[in-house]
mmCIF file of all heavy atoms in Angstrom:
data_model
loop_
_atom_site.group_PDB
_atom_site.id
_atom_site.type_symbol
_atom_site.label_atom_id
_atom_site.label_comp_id
_atom_site.label_asym_id
_atom_site.label_seq_id
_atom_site.Cartn_x
_atom_site.Cartn_y
_atom_site.Cartn_z
ATOM 1 N N ARG I 62 -135.189 74.085 63.818
ATOM 2 C CA ARG I 62 -134.659 73.528 65.066
ATOM 3 C C ARG I 62 -133.752 74.586 65.696
ATOM 4 O O ARG I 62 -132.991 75.237 64.981
ATOM 5 C CB ARG I 62 -133.874 72.260 64.740
ATOM 6 C CG ARG I 62 -133.346 71.553 65.940
ATOM 7 C CD ARG I 62 -132.547 70.354 65.521
ATOM 8 N NE ARG I 62 -133.379 69.230 65.156
ATOM 9 C CZ ARG I 62 -133.159 68.461 64.095
ATOM 10 N NH1 ARG I 62 -132.163 68.706 63.292
ATOM 11 N NH2 ARG I 62 -133.944 67.436 63.829
ATOM 12 N N ILE I 63 -133.843 74.744 67.006
ATOM 13 C CA ILE I 63 -133.037 75.783 67.664
ATOM 14 C C ILE I 63 -131.559 75.360 67.691
ATOM 15 O O ILE I 63 -131.232 74.261 68.135
ATOM 16 C CB ILE I 63 -133.535 76.032 69.097
ATOM 17 C CG1 ILE I 63 -134.923 76.663 69.062
ATOM 18 C CG2 ILE I 63 -132.573 76.931 69.870
ATOM 19 C CD1 ILE I 63 -135.620 76.720 70.397
ATOM 20 N N ILE I 66 -129.693 79.592 71.630
ATOM 21 C CA ILE I 66 -130.790 80.247 72.367
ATOM 22 C C ILE I 66 -130.250 80.848 73.674
ATOM 23 O O ILE I 66 -129.323 80.297 74.270
ATOM 24 C CB ILE I 66 -131.927 79.213 72.639
ATOM 25 C CG1 ILE I 66 -133.165 79.907 73.225
ATOM 26 C CG2 ILE I 66 -131.482 78.077 73.517
ATOM 27 C CD1 ILE I 66 -134.399 79.021 73.291
ATOM 28 N N VAL I 68 -130.912 81.319 77.394
ATOM 29 C CA VAL I 68 -131.799 80.781 78.427
ATOM 30 C C VAL I 68 -131.575 81.541 79.735
ATOM 31 O O VAL I 68 -130.447 81.936 80.040
ATOM 32 C CB VAL I 68 -131.581 79.259 78.660
ATOM 33 C CG1 VAL I 68 -132.107 78.462 77.509
ATOM 34 C CG2 VAL I 68 -130.135 78.939 78.930
ATOM 35 N N PRO I 69 -132.671 81.778 80.505
ATOM 36 C CA PRO I 69 -132.500 82.522 81.752
ATOM 37 C C PRO I 69 -131.735 81.701 82.786
ATOM 38 O O PRO I 69 -132.029 80.521 82.988
ATOM 39 C CB PRO I 69 -133.932 82.790 82.209
ATOM 40 C CG PRO I 69 -134.784 81.874 81.436
ATOM 41 C CD PRO I 69 -134.047 81.392 80.253
ATOM 42 N N LYS I 120 -131.885 78.215 86.704
ATOM 43 C CA LYS I 120 -132.828 79.101 87.392
ATOM 44 C C LYS I 120 -133.743 78.357 88.368
ATOM 45 O O LYS I 120 -134.276 78.955 89.305
ATOM 46 C CB LYS I 120 -133.669 79.846 86.348
ATOM 47 C CG LYS I 120 -134.166 81.164 86.839
ATOM 48 C CD LYS I 120 -135.067 81.808 85.839
ATOM 49 C CE LYS I 120 -135.940 82.848 86.526
ATOM 50 N NZ LYS I 120 -136.984 83.329 85.669
ATOM 51 N N TYR I 147 -126.926 79.227 74.927
ATOM 52 C CA TYR I 147 -126.840 77.778 74.971
ATOM 53 C C TYR I 147 -127.000 77.210 73.566
ATOM 54 O O TYR I 147 -127.802 77.691 72.779
ATOM 55 C CB TYR I 147 -127.936 77.243 75.906
ATOM 56 C CG TYR I 147 -127.825 75.774 76.162
ATOM 57 C CD1 TYR I 147 -126.844 75.263 77.010
ATOM 58 C CD2 TYR I 147 -128.689 74.880 75.544
ATOM 59 C CE1 TYR I 147 -126.732 73.902 77.222
ATOM 60 C CE2 TYR I 147 -128.585 73.520 75.751
ATOM 61 C CZ TYR I 147 -127.604 73.038 76.599
ATOM 62 O OH TYR I 147 -127.490 71.684 76.796
ATOM 63 N N LEU I 150 -127.420 71.719 70.257
ATOM 64 C CA LEU I 150 -126.885 70.659 69.392
ATOM 65 C C LEU I 150 -125.381 70.467 69.609
ATOM 66 O O LEU I 150 -124.720 69.779 68.830
ATOM 67 C CB LEU I 150 -127.172 70.968 67.926
ATOM 68 C CG LEU I 150 -128.633 71.278 67.586
ATOM 69 C CD1 LEU I 150 -128.808 71.510 66.102
ATOM 70 C CD2 LEU I 150 -129.556 70.163 68.037
ATOM 71 N N PHE I 198 -136.942 91.443 93.759
ATOM 72 C CA PHE I 198 -138.171 90.715 93.460
ATOM 73 C C PHE I 198 -138.852 91.178 92.182
ATOM 74 O O PHE I 198 -139.695 90.495 91.631
ATOM 75 C CB PHE I 198 -139.143 90.742 94.644
ATOM 76 C CG PHE I 198 -139.765 92.081 94.926
ATOM 77 C CD1 PHE I 198 -140.984 92.432 94.374
ATOM 78 C CD2 PHE I 198 -139.122 92.988 95.745
ATOM 79 C CE1 PHE I 198 -141.558 93.661 94.637
ATOM 80 C CE2 PHE I 198 -139.691 94.225 96.010
ATOM 81 C CZ PHE I 198 -140.911 94.572 95.456
ATOM 82 N N THR I 218 -129.447 71.236 60.015
ATOM 83 C CA THR I 218 -128.602 70.469 60.949
ATOM 84 C C THR I 218 -128.635 68.967 60.671
ATOM 85 O O THR I 218 -127.711 68.255 61.063
ATOM 86 C CB THR I 218 -128.996 70.750 62.406
ATOM 87 O OG1 THR I 218 -130.405 70.619 62.536
ATOM 88 C CG2 THR I 218 -128.571 72.131 62.831
ATOM 89 N N HIS I 222 -125.285 67.050 60.126
ATOM 90 C CA HIS I 222 -124.918 65.844 60.862
ATOM 91 C C HIS I 222 -124.416 64.752 59.912
ATOM 92 O O HIS I 222 -123.398 64.098 60.192
ATOM 93 C CB HIS I 222 -126.122 65.349 61.663
ATOM 94 C CG HIS I 222 -125.868 64.061 62.362
ATOM 95 N ND1 HIS I 222 -124.988 63.943 63.410
ATOM 96 C CD2 HIS I 222 -126.339 62.807 62.130
ATOM 97 C CE1 HIS I 222 -124.949 62.684 63.806
ATOM 98 N NE2 HIS I 222 -125.746 61.974 63.050
ATOM 99 N N GLU I 226 -120.663 63.286 59.968
ATOM 100 C CA GLU I 226 -120.382 61.846 60.102
ATOM 101 C C GLU I 226 -119.416 61.385 59.015
ATOM 102 O O GLU I 226 -118.472 60.639 59.292
ATOM 103 C CB GLU I 226 -121.689 61.065 59.996
ATOM 104 C CG GLU I 226 -122.323 60.816 61.334
ATOM 105 C CD GLU I 226 -123.266 59.624 61.295
ATOM 106 O OE1 GLU I 226 -123.623 59.163 60.190
ATOM 107 O OE2 GLU I 226 -123.636 59.179 62.369
ATOM 108 N N TYR I 475 -126.651 55.540 42.038
ATOM 109 C CA TYR I 475 -128.022 56.022 41.876
ATOM 110 C C TYR I 475 -128.154 57.453 41.364
ATOM 111 O O TYR I 475 -129.170 57.815 40.812
ATOM 112 C CB TYR I 475 -128.768 55.884 43.213
ATOM 113 C CG TYR I 475 -128.612 54.511 43.783
ATOM 114 C CD1 TYR I 475 -127.703 54.251 44.813
ATOM 115 C CD2 TYR I 475 -129.339 53.451 43.261
ATOM 116 C CE1 TYR I 475 -127.537 52.978 45.315
ATOM 117 C CE2 TYR I 475 -129.180 52.170 43.747
ATOM 118 C CZ TYR I 475 -128.269 51.930 44.782
ATOM 119 O OH TYR I 475 -128.104 50.666 45.255
ATOM 120 N N PHE I 476 -127.122 58.259 41.599
ATOM 121 C CA PHE I 476 -127.226 59.670 41.214
ATOM 122 C C PHE I 476 -126.050 60.104 40.352
ATOM 123 O O PHE I 476 -124.923 59.638 40.548
ATOM 124 C CB PHE I 476 -127.289 60.561 42.467
ATOM 125 C CG PHE I 476 -128.525 60.332 43.268
ATOM 126 C CD1 PHE I 476 -128.500 59.478 44.363
ATOM 127 C CD2 PHE I 476 -129.729 60.912 42.903
ATOM 128 C CE1 PHE I 476 -129.648 59.236 45.087
ATOM 129 C CE2 PHE I 476 -130.881 60.669 43.622
ATOM 130 C CZ PHE I 476 -130.843 59.827 44.716
ATOM 131 N N ASP I 548 -125.729 59.728 48.476
ATOM 132 C CA ASP I 548 -126.903 58.870 48.692
ATOM 133 C C ASP I 548 -127.675 59.287 49.937
ATOM 134 O O ASP I 548 -128.904 59.352 49.924
ATOM 135 C CB ASP I 548 -126.474 57.397 48.813
ATOM 136 C CG ASP I 548 -126.029 56.831 47.470
ATOM 137 O OD1 ASP I 548 -126.107 57.578 46.473
ATOM 138 O OD2 ASP I 548 -125.584 55.668 47.426
ATOM 139 N N MET I 551 -129.389 62.798 49.411
ATOM 140 C CA MET I 551 -130.512 62.723 48.477
ATOM 141 C C MET I 551 -131.680 61.964 49.097
ATOM 142 O O MET I 551 -132.837 62.295 48.852
ATOM 143 C CB MET I 551 -130.072 62.068 47.168
ATOM 144 C CG MET I 551 -129.084 62.906 46.383
ATOM 145 S SD MET I 551 -129.700 64.548 46.028
ATOM 146 C CE MET I 551 -130.485 64.279 44.471
ATOM 147 N N PHE I 552 -131.387 60.961 49.921
ATOM 148 C CA PHE I 552 -132.479 60.236 50.570
ATOM 149 C C PHE I 552 -133.154 61.137 51.597
ATOM 150 O O PHE I 552 -134.376 61.116 51.753
ATOM 151 C CB PHE I 552 -131.983 58.949 51.231
ATOM 152 C CG PHE I 552 -133.117 58.135 51.795
ATOM 153 C CD1 PHE I 552 -133.987 57.453 50.949
ATOM 154 C CD2 PHE I 552 -133.348 58.080 53.160
ATOM 155 C CE1 PHE I 552 -135.053 56.733 51.460
ATOM 156 C CE2 PHE I 552 -134.419 57.360 53.674
ATOM 157 C CZ PHE I 552 -135.272 56.683 52.818
ATOM 158 N N GLN I 556 -135.231 62.274 47.277
ATOM 159 C CA GLN I 556 -135.013 62.438 45.846
ATOM 160 C C GLN I 556 -134.913 61.076 45.161
ATOM 161 O O GLN I 556 -134.274 60.165 45.697
ATOM 162 C CB GLN I 556 -133.718 63.228 45.598
ATOM 163 C CG GLN I 556 -133.751 64.654 46.120
ATOM 164 C CD GLN I 556 -134.747 65.519 45.402
ATOM 165 O OE1 GLN I 556 -134.760 65.595 44.180
ATOM 166 N NE2 GLN I 556 -135.626 66.155 46.167
ATOM 167 N N LYS I 557 -135.532 61.000 43.996
ATOM 168 C CA LYS I 557 -135.465 59.746 43.241
ATOM 169 C C LYS I 557 -134.130 59.645 42.526
ATOM 170 O O LYS I 557 -133.601 60.670 42.067
ATOM 171 C CB LYS I 557 -136.557 59.729 42.176
ATOM 172 C CG LYS I 557 -137.942 59.635 42.724
ATOM 173 C CD LYS I 557 -138.906 59.754 41.568
ATOM 174 C CE LYS I 557 -140.325 59.795 42.058
ATOM 175 N NZ LYS I 557 -141.242 60.070 40.950
ATOM 176 N N PRO I 558 -133.593 58.426 42.390
ATOM 177 C CA PRO I 558 -132.354 58.269 41.633
ATOM 178 C C PRO I 558 -132.533 58.786 40.207
ATOM 179 O O PRO I 558 -133.607 58.635 39.620
ATOM 180 C CB PRO I 558 -132.129 56.754 41.636
ATOM 181 C CG PRO I 558 -132.842 56.274 42.823
ATOM 182 C CD PRO I 558 -134.041 57.157 42.968
ATOM 183 N N HIS I 569 -133.072 49.895 40.515
ATOM 184 C CA HIS I 569 -132.260 49.529 41.663
ATOM 185 C C HIS I 569 -133.071 48.901 42.787
ATOM 186 O O HIS I 569 -132.536 48.557 43.801
ATOM 187 C CB HIS I 569 -131.549 50.777 42.187
ATOM 188 C CG HIS I 569 -130.698 51.415 41.140
ATOM 189 N ND1 HIS I 569 -129.563 50.825 40.681
ATOM 190 C CD2 HIS I 569 -130.851 52.564 40.446
ATOM 191 C CE1 HIS I 569 -129.024 51.600 39.736
ATOM 192 N NE2 HIS I 569 -129.790 52.656 39.582
ATOM 193 N N ALA I 570 -134.365 48.820 42.554
ATOM 194 C CA ALA I 570 -135.194 48.276 43.620
ATOM 195 C C ALA I 570 -134.967 46.779 43.764
ATOM 196 O O ALA I 570 -134.640 46.089 42.814
ATOM 197 C CB ALA I 570 -136.658 48.541 43.316
ATOM 198 N N ARG I 571 -135.150 46.304 44.974
ATOM 199 C CA ARG I 571 -134.916 44.893 45.236
ATOM 200 C C ARG I 571 -135.990 44.059 44.533
ATOM 201 O O ARG I 571 -137.171 44.419 44.545
ATOM 202 C CB ARG I 571 -134.984 44.668 46.748
ATOM 203 C CG ARG I 571 -134.364 43.360 47.159
ATOM 204 C CD ARG I 571 -134.166 43.298 48.625
ATOM 205 N NE ARG I 571 -135.423 43.523 49.323
ATOM 206 C CZ ARG I 571 -135.519 43.421 50.640
ATOM 207 N NH1 ARG I 571 -134.466 43.154 51.358
ATOM 208 N NH2 ARG I 571 -136.661 43.629 51.254
ATOM 209 N N MET U 48 -148.186 93.103 88.932
ATOM 210 C CA MET U 48 -146.873 92.602 89.369
ATOM 211 C C MET U 48 -146.851 91.080 89.420
ATOM 212 O O MET U 48 -145.913 90.442 88.965
ATOM 213 C CB MET U 48 -146.506 93.183 90.733
ATOM 214 C CG MET U 48 -145.738 94.482 90.606
ATOM 215 S SD MET U 48 -145.485 95.279 92.174
ATOM 216 C CE MET U 48 -144.503 94.079 93.015
ATOM 217 N N GLY U 55 -142.941 86.177 83.384
ATOM 218 C CA GLY U 55 -141.492 85.963 83.351
ATOM 219 C C GLY U 55 -141.136 84.511 83.599
ATOM 220 O O GLY U 55 -140.320 83.916 82.887
ATOM 221 N N ALA U 59 -139.536 81.953 80.955
ATOM 222 C CA ALA U 59 -138.290 81.248 81.274
ATOM 223 C C ALA U 59 -138.470 79.747 81.100
ATOM 224 O O ALA U 59 -137.639 79.062 80.513
ATOM 225 C CB ALA U 59 -137.867 81.570 82.693
ATOM 226 N N LEU U 62 -138.656 78.846 77.451
ATOM 227 C CA LEU U 62 -137.326 78.825 76.821
ATOM 228 C C LEU U 62 -136.559 77.571 77.201
ATOM 229 O O LEU U 62 -135.900 76.954 76.365
ATOM 230 C CB LEU U 62 -136.529 80.069 77.236
ATOM 231 C CG LEU U 62 -136.929 81.369 76.547
ATOM 232 C CD1 LEU U 62 -136.216 82.539 77.177
ATOM 233 C CD2 LEU U 62 -136.581 81.315 75.070
ATOM 234 N N MET U 63 -136.658 77.197 78.483
ATOM 235 C CA MET U 63 -135.953 75.997 78.938
ATOM 236 C C MET U 63 -136.509 74.763 78.227
ATOM 237 O O MET U 63 -135.759 73.872 77.835
ATOM 238 C CB MET U 63 -136.093 75.817 80.455
ATOM 239 C CG MET U 63 -135.426 76.889 81.274
ATOM 240 S SD MET U 63 -133.677 77.066 80.956
ATOM 241 C CE MET U 63 -133.011 75.746 81.909
ATOM 242 N N LYS U 65 -137.998 74.739 75.276
ATOM 243 C CA LYS U 65 -137.573 74.802 73.873
ATOM 244 C C LYS U 65 -136.154 74.260 73.743
ATOM 245 O O LYS U 65 -135.826 73.534 72.822
ATOM 246 C CB LYS U 65 -137.618 76.244 73.372
ATOM 247 C CG LYS U 65 -138.960 76.677 72.872
ATOM 248 C CD LYS U 65 -138.851 78.082 72.345
ATOM 249 C CE LYS U 65 -140.172 78.608 71.849
ATOM 250 N NZ LYS U 65 -140.092 80.011 71.498
ATOM 251 N N LYS U 66 -135.322 74.688 74.679
ATOM 252 C CA LYS U 66 -133.917 74.251 74.689
ATOM 253 C C LYS U 66 -133.852 72.730 74.818
ATOM 254 O O LYS U 66 -133.115 72.069 74.099
ATOM 255 C CB LYS U 66 -133.205 74.916 75.876
ATOM 256 C CG LYS U 66 -131.746 74.593 76.009
ATOM 257 C CD LYS U 66 -131.255 74.889 77.397
ATOM 258 C CE LYS U 66 -131.073 73.609 78.174
ATOM 259 N NZ LYS U 66 -130.537 73.799 79.523
ATOM 260 N N SER U 69 -135.054 70.989 71.640
ATOM 261 C CA SER U 69 -134.018 71.051 70.614
ATOM 262 C C SER U 69 -132.912 70.037 70.896
ATOM 263 O O SER U 69 -132.436 69.357 69.990
ATOM 264 C CB SER U 69 -133.451 72.464 70.568
ATOM 265 O OG SER U 69 -132.784 72.655 69.383
ATOM 266 N N GLY U 70 -132.541 69.934 72.154
ATOM 267 C CA GLY U 70 -131.506 68.964 72.543
ATOM 268 C C GLY U 70 -131.973 67.545 72.271
ATOM 269 O O GLY U 70 -131.221 66.706 71.780
ATOM 270 N N SER U 72 -134.195 66.603 70.084
ATOM 271 C CA SER U 72 -134.351 66.315 68.648
ATOM 272 C C SER U 72 -133.026 66.452 67.899
ATOM 273 O O SER U 72 -133.006 66.489 66.672
ATOM 274 C CB SER U 72 -135.405 67.240 68.034
ATOM 275 O OG SER U 72 -134.937 68.565 68.071
ATOM 276 N N SER U 73 -131.948 66.546 68.638
ATOM 277 C CA SER U 73 -130.628 66.667 68.018
ATOM 278 C C SER U 73 -130.352 65.468 67.105
ATOM 279 O O SER U 73 -130.561 64.319 67.505
ATOM 280 C CB SER U 73 -129.573 66.744 69.119
ATOM 281 O OG SER U 73 -128.353 66.264 68.649
ATOM 282 N N PRO U 74 -129.898 65.715 65.878
ATOM 283 C CA PRO U 74 -129.626 64.603 64.956
ATOM 284 C C PRO U 74 -128.637 63.607 65.532
ATOM 285 O O PRO U 74 -128.729 62.405 65.283
ATOM 286 C CB PRO U 74 -129.031 65.290 63.724
ATOM 287 C CG PRO U 74 -129.169 66.725 63.907
ATOM 288 C CD PRO U 74 -129.606 67.018 65.294
ATOM 289 N N ASP U 75 -127.738 64.114 66.346
ATOM 290 C CA ASP U 75 -126.729 63.264 66.966
ATOM 291 C C ASP U 75 -127.387 62.226 67.887
ATOM 292 O O ASP U 75 -127.085 61.032 67.831
ATOM 293 C CB ASP U 75 -125.802 64.178 67.787
ATOM 294 C CG ASP U 75 -124.443 63.573 67.979
ATOM 295 O OD1 ASP U 75 -124.053 62.752 67.141
ATOM 296 O OD2 ASP U 75 -123.784 63.922 68.972
ATOM 297 N N ASP U 78 -129.621 59.816 65.894
ATOM 298 C CA ASP U 78 -128.758 58.871 65.183
ATOM 299 C C ASP U 78 -128.276 57.757 66.118
ATOM 300 O O ASP U 78 -128.277 56.580 65.753
ATOM 301 C CB ASP U 78 -127.569 59.647 64.621
ATOM 302 C CG ASP U 78 -126.798 58.838 63.622
ATOM 303 O OD1 ASP U 78 -127.256 58.768 62.475
ATOM 304 O OD2 ASP U 78 -125.762 58.246 63.985
ATOM 305 N N PRO U 89 -127.973 52.901 57.681
ATOM 306 C CA PRO U 89 -128.205 53.953 56.673
ATOM 307 C C PRO U 89 -128.920 53.360 55.458
ATOM 308 O O PRO U 89 -128.793 52.170 55.166
ATOM 309 C CB PRO U 89 -126.788 54.415 56.290
ATOM 310 C CG PRO U 89 -125.947 54.009 57.419
ATOM 311 C CD PRO U 89 -126.553 52.763 57.997
ATOM 312 N N VAL U 90 -129.630 54.238 54.766
ATOM 313 C CA VAL U 90 -130.475 53.758 53.678
ATOM 314 C C VAL U 90 -129.669 53.111 52.549
ATOM 315 O O VAL U 90 -128.557 53.531 52.242
ATOM 316 C CB VAL U 90 -131.333 54.916 53.119
ATOM 317 C CG1 VAL U 90 -130.467 55.949 52.443
ATOM 318 C CG2 VAL U 90 -132.389 54.409 52.163
ATOM 319 N N ASP U 91 -130.247 52.051 52.009
ATOM 320 C CA ASP U 91 -129.677 51.405 50.830
ATOM 321 C C ASP U 91 -130.674 51.645 49.703
ATOM 322 O O ASP U 91 -131.798 51.136 49.742
ATOM 323 C CB ASP U 91 -129.503 49.913 51.119
ATOM 324 C CG ASP U 91 -129.018 49.145 49.897
ATOM 325 O OD1 ASP U 91 -128.864 49.784 48.832
ATOM 326 O OD2 ASP U 91 -128.809 47.926 50.012
ATOM 327 N N TYR U 92 -130.253 52.456 48.727
ATOM 328 C CA TYR U 92 -131.201 52.851 47.678
ATOM 329 C C TYR U 92 -131.752 51.667 46.890
ATOM 330 O O TYR U 92 -132.812 51.745 46.294
ATOM 331 C CB TYR U 92 -130.551 53.870 46.724
ATOM 332 C CG TYR U 92 -131.069 55.266 46.956
ATOM 333 C CD1 TYR U 92 -130.339 56.192 47.676
ATOM 334 C CD2 TYR U 92 -132.315 55.646 46.460
ATOM 335 C CE1 TYR U 92 -130.822 57.469 47.901
ATOM 336 C CE2 TYR U 92 -132.816 56.912 46.681
ATOM 337 C CZ TYR U 92 -132.065 57.826 47.398
ATOM 338 O OH TYR U 92 -132.556 59.075 47.618
ATOM 339 N N SER U 93 -131.012 50.542 46.903
ATOM 340 C CA SER U 93 -131.507 49.398 46.132
ATOM 341 C C SER U 93 -132.775 48.839 46.776
ATOM 342 O O SER U 93 -133.516 48.084 46.160
ATOM 343 C CB SER U 93 -130.434 48.319 46.046
ATOM 344 O OG SER U 93 -130.202 47.804 47.334
ATOM 345 N N LYS U 94 -133.008 49.217 48.021
ATOM 346 C CA LYS U 94 -134.188 48.692 48.717
ATOM 347 C C LYS U 94 -135.303 49.733 48.809
ATOM 348 O O LYS U 94 -136.263 49.558 49.544
ATOM 349 C CB LYS U 94 -133.782 48.232 50.118
ATOM 350 C CG LYS U 94 -132.874 47.022 50.075
ATOM 351 C CD LYS U 94 -132.289 46.732 51.425
ATOM 352 C CE LYS U 94 -131.284 45.601 51.299
ATOM 353 N NZ LYS U 94 -130.445 45.471 52.476
ATOM 354 N N VAL U 95 -135.125 50.824 48.071
ATOM 355 C CA VAL U 95 -136.120 51.903 48.153
ATOM 356 C C VAL U 95 -136.992 51.908 46.901
ATOM 357 O O VAL U 95 -136.490 51.790 45.790
ATOM 358 C CB VAL U 95 -135.418 53.277 48.290
ATOM 359 C CG1 VAL U 95 -136.434 54.409 48.308
ATOM 360 C CG2 VAL U 95 -134.565 53.314 49.541
ATOM 361 N N ARG U 96 -138.293 51.983 47.093
ATOM 362 C CA ARG U 96 -139.216 52.132 45.962
ATOM 363 C C ARG U 96 -139.926 53.476 46.098
ATOM 364 O O ARG U 96 -140.441 53.787 47.168
ATOM 365 C CB ARG U 96 -140.264 51.012 45.970
ATOM 366 C CG ARG U 96 -139.855 49.805 45.199
ATOM 367 C CD ARG U 96 -140.958 48.757 45.246
ATOM 368 N NE ARG U 96 -140.471 47.493 44.723
ATOM 369 C CZ ARG U 96 -140.446 47.201 43.430
ATOM 370 N NH1 ARG U 96 -140.864 48.077 42.551
ATOM 371 N NH2 ARG U 96 -139.995 46.025 43.032
ATOM 372 N N PHE U 97 -139.940 54.216 45.024
ATOM 373 C CA PHE U 97 -140.667 55.490 45.028
ATOM 374 C C PHE U 97 -142.020 55.293 44.371
ATOM 375 O O PHE U 97 -142.116 54.725 43.285
ATOM 376 C CB PHE U 97 -139.879 56.565 44.274
ATOM 377 C CG PHE U 97 -138.719 57.088 45.070
ATOM 378 C CD1 PHE U 97 -137.462 56.493 44.987
ATOM 379 C CD2 PHE U 97 -138.882 58.174 45.909
ATOM 380 C CE1 PHE U 97 -136.405 56.961 45.726
ATOM 381 C CE2 PHE U 97 -137.821 58.657 46.645
ATOM 382 C CZ PHE U 97 -136.579 58.056 46.562
ATOM 383 N N ASP U 99 -145.270 57.125 42.871
ATOM 384 C CA ASP U 99 -145.813 58.424 42.456
ATOM 385 C C ASP U 99 -147.288 58.508 42.797
ATOM 386 O O ASP U 99 -148.060 57.611 42.476
ATOM 387 C CB ASP U 99 -145.617 58.613 40.949
ATOM 388 C CG ASP U 99 -144.233 59.137 40.652
ATOM 389 O OD1 ASP U 99 -143.733 59.917 41.482
ATOM 390 O OD2 ASP U 99 -143.656 58.760 39.622
#
Side-chain angles (χ1 to χ4, degrees):
Chain I
R62 183 182 281 137
I63 293 169
I66 188 170
V68 288
K120 207 184 159 190
Y147 187 75
L150 308 182
F198 70 93
T218 49
H222 175 68
E226 268 203 346
Y475 310 101
F476 295 97
D548 288 358
M551 293 304 269
F552 185 72
Q556 296 294 308
K557 291 175 185 173
H569 302 291
R571 197 167 56 175
Chain U
M48 270 173 63
L62 284 172
M63 294 302 280
K65 275 183 181 173
K66 181 199 105 177
S69 198
S72 66
S73 153
D75 204 25
D78 193 80
V90 67
D91 175 358
Y92 255 101
S93 66
K94 292 170 186 166
V95 177
R96 270 181 191 276
F97 284 90
D99 276 326

